[in-house]
Amino acid sequence: MSFHEVQRLLHLMNVEMDQEYAFQLFQAADTSESGTLEGEEFVEFYKALTKRTEVYELFENFSADGQKLTLLEFVDFLQEEQKEGERASDLALDLIDRYEPSDSGKLRHVLSMDGFLSYLCSKDGDIFNPTCLPIYQDMTQPLNHYYINSSHNTYLVGDQLCGQSSVEGYIRALKRGCRCVEVDIWDGPSGEPIVYHGHTLTSRIPFKDVVATVAQYAFQTSDYPVILSLENHCSWEQQQVMACHLTEILGEQLLSTTLDGLLPTQLPSPEELRGKILVKGKKLRTLEEDLEEEEEEEELESELEREQEADPELEAQLESEPQELSPRSKDKKKEKVVMCPLFCPPVCCEVVVQAPISKPGPLLFPKQRSKPILCPSLSALVVYLKSVSFHSFTHSREHYRFYETSSFSETKARSLIKEAGNEFVQHNAWQLSRVYPSGLRTDSSNYNPQELWNAGCQMVAMNVQTAGLEMDIYDGLFRQNGACGYVLKPDFLRDVQSSFHPERPISPFKAQTLLIQVISGQQLPKDDMSKERSIVDPLVRVEIFGVRPDTTRQETSYVENNGFNPYWGQTLSFRVLVPELALLRFVVKDYNRKSRNEFIGQYTVPWTCMQQGGPVLRPLANATRALAVLLMPSSCPSPGYRHIHLLSKDGISLHPASIFVHISIREGLEGDES
C-alpha cells in the first residue's frame, strides 16, 4: 500500500490527519524502505494510527515502568479511579486473567497496555453495569409495582391512517421485550373477527392470526407474563369466535381464572405469572361474583353427579332436555344479563345489563340505560385486568378494586399529573394505569414516557415502530433486568401513602451532582456513508431525563474533521434532585453550521444502572424482597473511566464506535460548573 493509498484509506476511515504526521507514521512502519506497507508493516502502521494517547497517559500514571501494571498498581487504579473498594484485590486478579493477552503476564499477575485497553473497552469497563443486565430485581411483588414494556396499536408497522397492519408488528414488539400488546378487533367477513385501526384505511388481518403469532412469540425473549389489551368492537357472535380462538389457540398459556381459584387480595407477581398470557378488557361482573358462581356451579355439578349415580333415569332425562343458561350475575347487585331474542335486529344489540323486572316485557325498546353488548364467554377470560372508565381518583378509591385498570390519553395523563400529581402517584401504587398516544399522532410519533413514569404509570404504550428520542429513552429503561419487560418502580412510587409529587419533588430525596468528563471518541461513523469526501465534525451532547427540574442537557464543542479519534476533554456538570428516576442519554452529532446537526449515535442508561463499585451483584430469579433490596445497585454512579458503546437510531450496535468518559459524583447540590 503506497502513501497515496494510505491517505485515501484514512479519508474512508473518517479521519483527516496532518499530511506530514501521517507520512512520519508511514515511514516509521516501512522498515523495508520499499515505499509501500506490506503485511506486518501495515499492522504496525495501524497500531500507531489507533494509539490512544489519553489511555496511555492514564496507564503511565499508575505504572512505575510505563510497560505494565503490577497487581498492586492495578489494585490502586481500581480503588482510586474506579472506586471498587474492598473487592478491588480479587477483582484485579479476575480482570488480569480475563483481559491480559499474554500467558506470561497472566502467570506473573501483571497487566500490559494492550490488556489495560481491552479491559476499558470491555463490558467490565462499560458505563452500563453488567450486573444489571440479567434479572437482578425482586420479581415477586404485585404487577402494579412494575413499569411494564407496552406497545400501542401493535399491529401497525406504519402510520395510523393508511399504514399496513401485520403480524410482523407483534413479532417485532415481543422480540424487543414488550409485555403488553394491543389488539383492535372488529367484525370481519365470514364470521371471522379482524384486526385494524377502525375507521381508517389501514389494512386488515385476521384476529386468529394475531393470536397464533402471540402464542408463538410471547415467551421467546422473556418468560414473564404477556398482556393482551383488547379493544373490542365486535358483535356478540364474533365475540364468541374471539373467545373460542383465545382458548383454543393459547391453550394452557391463557390465564382464565385466578391462580389458586381463590379471591386474591392483591395482583399476582410477574414471577407467579411466568409463561401466562392475560387478557385485559371489559368484564360483565366483578371477580368476586365470578368466583362465587364458579363455586356454586361446582357444588351443583357435584349434586347432579350424586343424583345421577342414585337414579340413572335422571341422566337420560337431563340429556334429552335443553339446558337453560345459568344467570351470570347476582340479585345483590340488582342486575342480570339479558340475551337478545333470536328475532332481535342488529340495531337492538346494544343491551346487555338490565335491572330486574317483575313482569316479562318487550326487549326491543327498553327504558333503562343500555351498555354495549359483551359476550359472557369473552368476559370470563378477563381475570386480573378488568378495564374500567376513569372518573376521578376519589371515585376510583371508593368504587374500584385493585384488579380494575383505567386507560388515559397522554393529554389526560399529563393534565392529571399537573393538577393532582401526588394523587396519581398514590393511585398507581395500588392500581394499574395504561397511557396511550394522542389520536392526533397520525404519523405514529411518540411522546416522552418519562413524565408518565415519574407518576408511577405502569403501562406507558408507545408506537414502537417509530425510532427516535422517545424510543431511546424507552429502550434505555427496559434494557436492564434481563430485558424481561418488567422494571421495579422506586419504593416511593409503590407506597399508597407516598408524599411524592412528580412536579414538585422535595426532600427526603437526596440530591446529587454528577460530573462527566467527555474525553474522546473512537471510530465514529459518517452520518451519510454515500458522501465519500465528507468527514464528521463530532460533538457530544449529554441529556438527563427525570422529574422536571432534573431534565436538562449540555454539550461539548465540536472537533473539526475527525471522526476516527476526536478528543474533547471537557467536563459537564449536572445537579439531580431525584436520581432514582433519572436516565442519561449520550448523543454524538455531526456539527453543521448551516443547518441542524446530524445524528451519529446514542446510548441511554438509567442512573441506577451506571457502572459503579461495591459488592458483586448476582443475577436473581426467585429472590426474596429483602435479598433483592440488598443486592440492587445504589441510586448513584461512582467515579470511574467508562466507555459508552453507541447505538444507531434503530437501536442497533455501531461497534466499534464509542466515546470515553470519566464519571464522578458529589452528594448535595454543590458542584463546579464547567
Side-chain angles (χ1 to χ4, degrees):
M1 182 176 285
S2 66
F3 180 65
H4 177 72
E5 290 171 322
V6 165
Q7 285 182 300
R8 186 169 181 274
L9 175 64
L10 291 175
H11 209 87
L12 291 173
M13 293 171 69
N14 205 13
V15 59
E16 185 171 283
M17 185 177 288
D18 177 76
Q19 185 170 336
E20 183 177 344
Y21 177 62
F23 190 63
Q24 289 177 359
L25 295 180
F26 181 90
Q27 285 185 314
D30 182 19
T31 54
S32 64
E33 300 183 355
S34 62
T36 60
L37 300 181
E38 299 178 10
E40 286 299 320
E41 291 178 336
F42 180 78
V43 172
E44 290 304 315
F45 173 77
Y46 183 78
K47 283 185 177 180
L49 184 67
T50 56
K51 181 179 179 180
R52 299 275 302 274
T53 304
E54 74 280 12
V55 177
Y56 267 90
E57 290 177 359
L58 179 61
F59 182 82
E60 290 174 344
N61 285 342
F62 288 87
S63 172
D65 61 5
Q67 301 297 314
K68 65 182 181 301
L69 289 175
T70 65
L71 180 60
L72 289 179
E73 289 169 344
F74 190 35
V75 168
D76 287 344
F77 169 78
L78 293 176
Q79 288 180 332
E80 292 179 25
E81 297 294 349
Q82 309 298 75
K83 303 301 179 185
E84 296 294 355
E86 295 179 358
R87 73 168 190 153
S89 297
D90 292 335
L91 181 62
L93 286 169
D94 182 42
L95 294 176
I96 289 172
D97 190 56
R98 243 184 285 176
Y99 300 113
E100 172 53 41
S102 71
D103 291 337
S104 62
K106 291 178 181 178
L107 288 172
R108 292 184 294 131
H109 301 312
V110 299
L111 194 65
S112 64
M113 176 60 205
D114 287 343
F116 184 66
L117 183 58
S118 293
Y119 153 66
L120 289 176
C121 293
S122 72
K123 66 178 183 179
D124 290 297
D126 193 282
I127 191 170
F128 197 102
N129 192 331
T131 56
C132 292
L133 290 174
I135 302 291
Y136 73 94
Q137 293 182 331
D138 177 10
M139 302 302 289
T140 64
Q141 299 196 32
L143 280 181
N144 50 293
H145 285 186
Y146 297 85
Y147 297 121
I148 303 173
N149 194 328
S150 304
S151 165
H152 171 247
N153 288 356
T154 315
Y155 47 88
L156 290 178
V157 293
D159 65 62
Q160 305 286 311
L161 294 179
C162 304
Q164 179 187 0
S165 301
S166 171
V167 296
E168 184 65 29
Y170 292 92
I171 295 172
R172 292 176 185 174
L174 291 168
K175 281 191 170 183
R176 71 185 296 159
C178 278
R179 296 290 88 187
C180 178
V181 294
E182 186 176 15
V183 194
D184 283 324
I185 315 105
W186 300 78
D187 280 355
S190 305
E192 281 292 338
I194 55 174
V195 175
Y196 81 110
H197 198 198
H199 311 299
T200 68
L201 299 177
T202 57
S203 59
R204 308 172 181 201
I205 52 177
F207 174 70
K208 63 181 179 182
D209 289 358
V210 170
V211 178
T213 301
V214 171
Q216 181 178 354
Y217 290 93
F219 305 110
Q220 287 194 5
T221 298
S222 169
D223 290 337
Y224 289 104
V226 167
I227 297 168
L228 280 181
S229 182
L230 300 186
E231 293 295 326
N232 173 22
H233 308 278
C234 290
S235 63
W236 177 289
E237 292 79 12
Q238 295 213 12
Q239 287 181 49
Q240 289 180 311
V241 177
M242 287 170 56
C244 183
H245 288 329
L246 287 167
T247 53
E248 291 185 358
I249 295 173
L250 298 181
E252 291 297 316
Q253 291 180 323
L254 180 66
L255 186 79
S256 56
T257 186
T258 56
L259 291 173
D260 54 8
L262 302 175
L263 184 65
T265 56
Q266 63 180 19
L267 287 174
S269 69
E271 187 62 38
E272 291 173 307
L273 294 169
R274 269 180 182 262
K276 289 296 182 183
I277 296 174
L278 287 69
V279 175
K280 172 185 168 293
K282 298 290 185 182
K283 189 174 179 66
L284 289 173
R285 305 178 311 166
T286 66
L287 187 57
E288 290 86 345
E289 290 171 319
D290 272 358
L291 293 172
E292 193 174 314
E293 180 175 295
E294 285 177 13
E295 186 177 340
E296 290 179 359
E297 287 177 350
E298 288 175 3
E299 291 176 359
L300 180 59
E301 287 175 8
S302 299
E303 187 176 337
L304 284 173
E305 287 175 4
R306 288 194 297 270
E307 290 179 1
Q308 288 169 15
E309 290 173 1
D311 186 359
E313 292 182 5
L314 178 62
E315 182 176 359
Q317 183 181 350
L318 287 171
E319 289 178 353
S320 64
E321 294 178 1
Q323 300 294 309
E324 292 186 7
L325 292 174
S326 61
R328 297 293 293 176
S329 62
K330 297 295 176 184
D331 287 341
K332 64 182 177 182
K333 283 288 181 181
K334 300 302 178 188
E335 294 179 349
K336 68 176 182 180
V337 174
V338 179
M339 293 185 65
C340 289
L342 295 177
F343 58 82
C344 174
V347 71
C348 153
C349 290
E350 294 184 352
V351 181
V352 71
V353 178
Q354 175 180 308
I357 49 180
S358 56
K359 295 180 181 180
L363 292 174
L364 290 179
F365 303 100
K367 294 182 180 179
Q368 67 279 354
R369 186 171 59 88
S370 64
K371 295 182 181 179
I373 267 195
L374 185 57
C375 172
S377 59
L378 183 61
S379 169
L381 299 181
V382 177
V383 182
Y384 292 115
L385 301 169
K386 177 184 177 181
S387 297
V388 292
S389 299
F390 177 81
H391 302 285
S392 70
F393 294 123
T394 301
H395 178 272
S396 295
R397 284 194 302 270
E398 293 177 353
H399 296 91
Y400 288 159
R401 297 164 175 84
F402 64 86
Y403 57 79
E404 293 173 316
T405 176
S406 300
S407 292
F408 307 84
S409 70
E410 59 171 291
T411 307
K412 178 65 174 177
R414 284 199 191 102
S415 175
L416 289 171
I417 291 171
K418 290 179 180 178
E419 295 169 4
N422 177 245
E423 283 190 274
F424 209 172
V425 167
Q426 293 179 352
H427 173 87
N428 289 324
W430 72 276
Q431 196 176 55
L432 282 167
S433 293
R434 181 178 181 271
V435 183
Y436 56 90
S438 164
L440 298 177
R441 295 186 182 276
T442 56
D443 58 351
S444 293
S445 60
N446 280 307
Y447 53 103
N448 184 350
Q450 183 67 53
E451 53 189 320
L452 291 316
W453 290 334
N454 292 344
C457 295
Q458 298 89 350
M459 295 180 284
V460 181
M462 305 288 281
N463 291 310
V464 298
Q465 71 271 34
T466 306
L469 164 66
E470 296 81 10
M471 283 308 301
D472 291 344
I473 297 171
Y474 208 80
D475 291 338
L477 177 73
F478 286 105
R479 184 171 292 115
Q480 63 181 304
N481 207 34
C484 73
Y486 289 85
V487 170
L488 191 63
K489 297 194 293 184
D491 55 2
F492 55 84
L493 294 181
R494 309 195 304 265
D495 180 5
V496 292
Q497 303 296 326
S498 176
S499 61
F500 179 74
H501 194 303
E503 293 291 294
R504 297 186 292 275
I506 55 174
S507 42
F509 306 104
K510 200 169 188 180
Q512 295 164 345
T513 299
L514 176 69
L515 300 175
I516 300 178
Q517 183 187 18
V518 182
I519 302 172
S520 62
Q522 296 77 44
Q523 301 186 54
L524 305 177
K526 298 179 182 180
D527 59 296
D528 188 348
M529 294 301 292
S530 65
K531 299 178 182 178
E532 182 180 320
R533 298 187 61 81
S534 66
I535 294 175
V536 300
D537 302 328
L539 61 84
V540 177
R541 176 184 294 167
V542 180
E543 303 167 336
I544 293 189
F545 298 92
V547 294
R548 192 178 300 275
D550 291 345
T551 301
T552 186
R553 67 184 187 186
Q554 295 181 41
E555 64 185 33
T556 67
S557 57
Y558 69 92
V559 174
E560 191 171 359
N561 285 337
N562 188 353
F564 187 72
N565 56 358
Y567 181 84
W568 293 281
Q570 294 177 254
T571 300
L572 310 177
S573 176
F574 300 92
R575 299 174 178 184
V576 181
L577 293 175
V578 190
E580 294 90 343
L581 291 173
L583 285 95
L584 279 79
R585 182 173 182 252
F586 297 83
V587 193
V588 181
K589 296 206 167 190
D590 181 11
Y591 174 75
N592 190 324
R593 59 176 55 88
K594 295 181 180 179
S595 62
R596 61 186 299 177
N597 299 336
E598 296 292 333
F599 176 91
I600 294 177
Q602 69 85 30
Y603 193 82
T604 306
V605 57
W607 182 288
T608 55
C609 291
M610 295 200 347
Q611 181 78 288
Q612 56 195 301
V616 179
L617 302 183
R618 294 180 176 81
L620 302 179
N622 299 298
T624 63
R625 181 174 182 176
L627 181 60
V629 171
L630 175 65
L631 294 181
M632 281 175 62
S634 61
S635 60
C636 66
S638 291
Y641 288 93
R642 308 293 175 191
H643 275 90
I644 299 167
H645 299 277
L646 299 177
L647 305 174
S648 70
K649 287 180 180 178
D650 298 324
I652 300 170
S653 172
L654 293 175
H655 181 78
S658 66
I659 52 178
F660 187 46
V661 301
H662 181 270
I663 297 170
S664 61
I665 191 73
R666 296 177 184 174
E667 296 295 336
L669 291 180
E670 295 78 24
D672 297 328
E673 293 287 350
S674 298

